[in-house]
Amino acid sequence: MSAPSEVRRTEQTGPAGAAEPASRRRRVPPGVWFVLPFMLSYVAFVIWPLTRGLWMSFHDTSLVRSGSEFVGLDNYTRLFADPLVWSSLWTTLVFTIGSTIPLVLIALVMALLVHAGGRGQWFWRLAFFAPYLMPVATVALIWNWLFQNDVGLLNGLLGVLGMQPVGWTSDPSVALWSVVLLTVWWTVGFNFLLYLAALQAIPPDVLEAAATDGAGRWRTTRSIVLPLIAPTTGLVLVLQLLASLKLFDQAYILFSGDGGPEGSVTPVLQYVYDTGFVGYRLGYASAISYVFFLLILVIALAHAWLAGRRRSA
């Protein structure tokens, strides 16, 4: 006859062999089942394409040929001697610098003006952010009409001012800046929203203390507001750099995929697209993509290093 304590232990664990599978099920953290769908999607749409692209960059993979041969570093050696790679990289770099500076400064000024108060704030917030909600095809179509040489609004305004019309989409020296103008109008609302959120997070008592000490609006902005939103400025700057480096769709639609006058608006991503899906050279296009990926990675790491130094200072 078994003791009462042994009977209770047998009732808790159940029949022999049933306790071990239950303990195994308990060893799996429940959070795994929540992140599993995301992890599967991440592997399918990020890890696998990256791995496959790296593999193709070392092969002569073609879109119209089933087999491929290992060519080592030939694709990478060829791209460093390809002038179109460097011209497209230069176009991307000029666009990145030319668009990032106004997109940061204009967004900051817009947010400061809206946050300063006044009537109709909801209207200005809607007006500044609404273009960002438009699809890229609509934005390109609107600005294609505005850029028209004969009937476009911009040349019409220049004519009213007594100035000569500008070949916004036909002059090689102007076409890239037309894309910059389009992009600033289209995407400045996102940066404006980030800055406005940062300004609204500033404690009111800090601004009241500055006003009590006699600081004017400009002194308060320069000595208190701008330093307090400096982390947001860093975030906006790196996000804008990465977004501008990915120039493709607005330029491709605006110039119908031909790279603009004399190819002056051919960014590196469009050259990768043309090489891989128009020229069918997927291996060479993959090698260009990985060189461009390393460039973006260097910029991201440089920003992380600078941000770390600023926090430790």
Side-chain angles (χ1 to χ4, degrees), residues 16-66:
E20 186 176 356
S23 62
R24 286 181 180 175
R25 285 196 297 270
R26 284 195 298 271
R27 282 200 295 269
V28 179
V32 170
W33 304 110
F34 289 98
V35 301
L36 185 60
F38 167 76
M39 293 304 297
L40 292 176
S41 302
Y42 188 76
V43 170
F45 296 106
V46 177
I47 300 299
W48 167 245
L50 284 175
T51 307
R52 177 67 175 171
L54 182 63
W55 180 87
M56 286 195 299
S57 69
F58 294 105
H59 293 74
D60 62 346
T61 307
S62 174
L63 199 60
V64 294
R65 192 177 63 245
S66 57

Side-chain angles (χ1 to χ4, degrees), residues 149-202:
N149 290 333
D150 299 328
V151 296
L153 176 63
L154 298 182
N155 279 342
L157 293 176
L158 292 178
V160 171
L161 298 175
M163 302 174 67
Q164 294 294 323
V166 175
W168 298 99
T169 56
S170 57
D171 189 340
S173 62
V174 179
L176 182 61
W177 298 106
S178 300
V179 180
V180 170
L181 181 62
L182 179 155
T183 305
V184 170
W185 178 83
W186 178 32
T187 62
V188 72
F190 180 74
N191 296 342
F192 157 75
L193 207 61
L194 293 178
Y195 271 124
L196 190 61
L199 291 172
Q200 291 174 343
I202 296 176

Side-chain angles (χ1 to χ4, degrees), residues 286-299:
S286 299
I288 301 173
S289 300
Y290 264 88
V291 171
F292 186 55
F293 172 72
L294 289 178
L295 175 64
I296 296 177
L297 187 63
V298 167
I299 294 175

